[in-house]
Amino acid sequence: MEYDVVLIGSGFGSLSAAALLARQGLRVCVLEQAKYPGGCASSYKRKGYWFETGATTLVGLDQNMPLRYLLDKTGIQIKAQKLELPMQVHLPSGQMLTRYRNLEAWLAEAERVFGKYNQRPFWQHCFKVSQQVWQASLQQRSFPISNTKDLILSVCRARPGQLALLPAAFRTMEDVLRKYDLLQNKPFLDFVNEQLLITAQNHIHEVNELFGATALCYTLYSNYYVPGGLINLVKPVEAYITENNGEIKYGQQVESVKKTGRMYWIKTNNQTFQSKYVISGIPLNNTLQLFKNERLKSKLGKYILPSEKLNGAFTMGLVLKLKQPPAVLHHQVHVPEGLPLIGSKSFFISFSDPNDTLRAPAGQMVASISTHVPDPENLRIEQKYILEDAILTALCKAGLIDLKSILVKHSATPGAWNFWTHRAYGAVGGYPQYKQIKPWQMKDARLDHDGAYICGDSTYPGQGIPGVCLSGIIAVEKLLQDHF
């Protein structure tokens, strides 16, 4: 079977790239080992209920953001409900903090909880940086630079505001907090660290200002809920691809990729596909195992992060009898003493909309819970009931659930993630931010500089639906730039 482009994996980066390539009239084929599309930005059905696979929040639909770009270019339409209140945070003090979308409302809330000293200038600065980052990210679709044409295009697309962002790549969020004299405010410091962990996968001393300010401000942009789960974000993209002469084939676990002459040969567990070009949408760690090319592995090895620098996830799914619907669907719960077995100091819980009968029958709702597991290859969770009990106890203490309301409960460790998704070590959330890795040092979309490309959460710009969507946009930009 011969195609113009074969894409490995149906994560949202791959699907974004496939849709944009299909729009160009290229014949694309997406190979997915599972039975549902979307990777970590999707949903799965269990015991008649729809649970979120990984991501539970949707942003990126505002102007100058990647998902808006994708939908505008293709005409794809999705059904999504804007959330008035994006998230609430349950702090160690017992206080509940509401992450308002409106900047002034959020500033008042931050000052109420953490004190007025320098909260306003800190958040105004972060929001301004985040706006500049999003605008620059779509203007600079040849970034990171990896050949002369990238450089020429980047210079042509450069704007004065983009150059002003450059120093922020060399500053950490710790530096920014020091500038505003906020390092002494321990409750605020703990809050920022746990917020960064769910958005940038690391803490203030490692996350640079560009990514950190943008990560902290995601609740200041439009946040959405997708009825039926994020599978219904993915399905319209899947439909667009197939309606435009593309194919998505499930149950196809890619085992090797080899180039012979001008064609790539992609071998799966039961078929072999040919294509002029290939885009991998799976993590770098997995991608390099597919290419039987020692020179490529040697060249790209510097980009690979080992398990001790990655995070896995412990996840839980609950079905609850609906008593009093939560006013806010997304919550972060701080656990200052750390969760047993893994030491994580917070976890995230997302409830389904009480009126969403696509995910659970009337009178019931679904909850998806996740928390970080460091070094997932080596941190084994043998007695996961201990972790389950600690999370449920914290949820009850926060007033978010009643144990008597639980109808269904299940959980998964990084080992289960590895088994079901085949992601190396069961690592999720992409590569964490590290201060020694500047944005231009992240892996760009060109894999072998010969026709193979890569997108997804382990390449620039990183995790989250907007991030992986942007990585797919950039992969398409560079493929077309190189060969058409």
Side-chain angles (χ1 to χ4, degrees):
M1 294 185 179
E2 187 176 322
Y3 300 90
D4 292 315
V5 187
V6 162
L7 298 99
I8 302 169
S10 69
F12 204 77
S14 280
L15 292 180
S16 299
L20 291 170
L21 290 168
R23 175 179 174 268
Q24 293 290 328
L26 297 178
R27 189 162 184 240
V28 302
C29 179
V30 181
L31 303 177
E32 169 57 51
Q33 58 91 19
K35 60 181 179 180
Y36 297 127
C40 292
S42 189
S43 314
Y44 65 94
K45 195 172 187 180
R46 185 166 182 172
K47 295 185 178 180
Y49 301 93
W50 282 95
F51 297 90
E52 301 294 30
T53 303
T56 57
T57 58
L58 176 62
V59 294
L61 285 168
D62 291 337
Q63 190 174 3
N64 296 323
M65 297 184 85
L67 190 53
R68 171 51 50 204
Y69 174 93
L70 173 68
L71 299 185
D72 287 348
K73 285 291 184 181
T74 59
I76 294 170
Q77 295 185 351
I78 61 171
K79 293 180 180 178
Q81 302 166 191
K82 186 181 287 189
L83 299 176
E84 291 301 318
L85 297 175
M87 176 172 59
Q88 288 182 324
V89 182
H90 301 257
L91 299 169
S93 64
Q95 283 182 292
M96 185 167 66
L97 175 77
T98 300
R99 296 293 318 255
Y100 293 98
R101 179 182 179 274
N102 177 271
L103 179 59
E104 283 301 318
W106 165 241
L107 289 172
E109 180 74 345
E111 290 177 339
R112 177 186 73 82
V113 175
F114 300 116
K116 289 192 175 183
Y117 183 67
N118 276 351
Q119 287 292 320
R120 177 173 289 270
F122 171 79
W123 286 105
Q124 286 176 331
H125 171 76
C126 287
F127 187 52
K128 181 180 178 180
V129 170
S130 74
Q131 290 176 307
Q132 292 171 326
V133 166
W134 282 123
Q135 188 170 17
S137 68
L138 279 174
Q139 290 170 341
Q140 291 290 1
R141 297 189 302 279
S142 294
F143 187 85
I145 295 165
S146 63
N147 69 13
T148 304
K149 195 167 185 180
D150 280 350
L151 178 60
I152 294 169
L153 286 170
S154 295
V155 170
C156 291
R157 293 166 175 168
R159 303 291 183 271
Q162 296 170 11
L163 297 177
L165 287 172
L166 186 60
F170 293 91
R171 293 190 292 261
T172 66
M173 286 307 297
E174 186 175 34
D175 296 328
V176 180
L177 287 160
R178 183 179 293 110
K179 174 185 175 181
Y180 289 98
D181 194 24
L182 289 168
L183 287 175
Q184 308 307 315
N185 189 336
K186 188 176 184 305
F188 183 60
L189 209 60
D190 292 341
F191 164 76
V192 170
N193 267 325
E194 294 309 306
Q195 289 280 285
L196 285 176
L197 192 59
I198 60 174
T199 48
Q201 301 287 311
N202 221 324
H203 294 122
I204 61 169
H205 61 286
E206 292 286 1
V207 180
N208 71 57
E209 183 182 355
L210 289 176
F211 284 98
T214 305
L216 287 177
C217 290
Y218 87 91
T219 52
L220 295 174
Y221 295 87
S222 300
N223 282 240
Y224 292 86
Y225 176 84
V226 180
L230 286 175
I231 187 75
N232 289 326
L233 164 69
V234 172
K235 282 183 175 179
V237 185
E238 176 191 39
Y240 179 87
I241 294 166
T242 57
E243 289 165 5
N244 285 272
N245 203 33
E247 297 179 40
I248 301 181
K249 295 182 177 293
Y250 297 102
Q252 297 287 343
Q253 175 67 45
V254 176
E255 296 178 347
S256 66
V257 180
K258 184 177 181 180
K259 189 168 190 181
T260 303
R262 296 183 179 181
M263 301 295 289
Y264 286 92
W265 294 75
I266 301 95
K267 183 179 182 299
T268 73
N269 51 318
N270 53 35
Q271 281 183 266
T272 299
F273 300 82
Q274 289 178 262
S275 65
K276 299 174 185 174
Y277 313 105
V278 62
I279 297 178
S280 174
I282 61 177
L284 265 168
N285 302 61
N286 295 85
T287 297
L288 287 195
Q289 298 305 312
L290 301 180
F291 284 76
K292 309 304 180 185
N293 185 326
E294 294 304 319
R295 183 181 176 186
L296 180 65
K297 289 181 181 180
S298 175
K299 186 176 181 180
L300 299 182
K302 64 181 180 179
Y303 295 106
I304 299 295
L305 292 184
S307 173
E308 56 264 29
K309 287 185 172 290
L310 300 175
N311 292 304
F314 178 80
T315 58
M316 289 180 66
L318 302 176
V319 178
L320 305 165
K321 284 188 292 186
L322 190 59
K323 293 186 177 179
Q324 185 172 352
V328 177
L329 298 182
H330 303 298
H331 298 258
Q332 186 187 41
V333 180
H334 286 219
V335 187
E337 68 278 12
L339 289 169
L341 307 180
I342 60 174
S344 179
K345 295 185 180 297
S346 68
F347 61 88
F348 199 79
I349 180 168
S350 293
F351 295 97
S352 62
D353 187 291
N355 299 312
D356 186 358
T357 54
L358 295 173
R359 294 186 63 189
Q364 299 177 18
M365 65 192 313
V366 171
S368 299
I369 303 163
S370 63
T371 189
H372 290 80
V373 178
D375 192 2
E377 182 183 31
N378 299 307
L379 202 165
R380 301 286 180 178
I381 301 173
E382 303 291 348
Q383 297 174 303
K384 65 180 184 179
Y385 70 89
I386 296 174
L387 196 45
E388 291 177 349
D389 289 347
I391 290 172
L392 294 176
T393 298
L395 285 171
C396 291
K397 184 178 178 181
L400 290 172
I401 69 164
D402 177 354
L403 289 179
K404 295 179 181 178
S405 70
I406 298 175
L407 300 173
V408 175
K409 178 185 72 174
H410 64 265
S411 64
T413 66
W417 274 91
N418 180 266
F419 179 78
W420 291 110
T421 68
H422 299 281
R423 291 175 67 102
Y425 320 125
V428 294
Y431 278 6
Q433 294 293 316
Y434 286 99
K435 64 182 177 182
Q436 74 270 22
I437 303 174
K438 306 300 184 240
W440 54 85
Q441 294 173 314
M442 297 176 72
K443 183 68 194 87
D444 88 306
R446 291 189 186 90
L447 195 59
D448 64 0
H449 288 258
D450 195 28
Y453 299 81
I454 188 166
C455 61
D457 61 9
S458 63
T459 62
Y460 175 85
Q463 70 152 359
I465 294 173
V468 296
C469 180
L470 178 58
S471 75
I473 293 168
I474 291 172
V476 170
E477 179 86 8
K478 295 199 174 189
L479 189 156
L480 297 177
Q481 175 182 309
D482 293 345
H483 302 285
F484 292 89

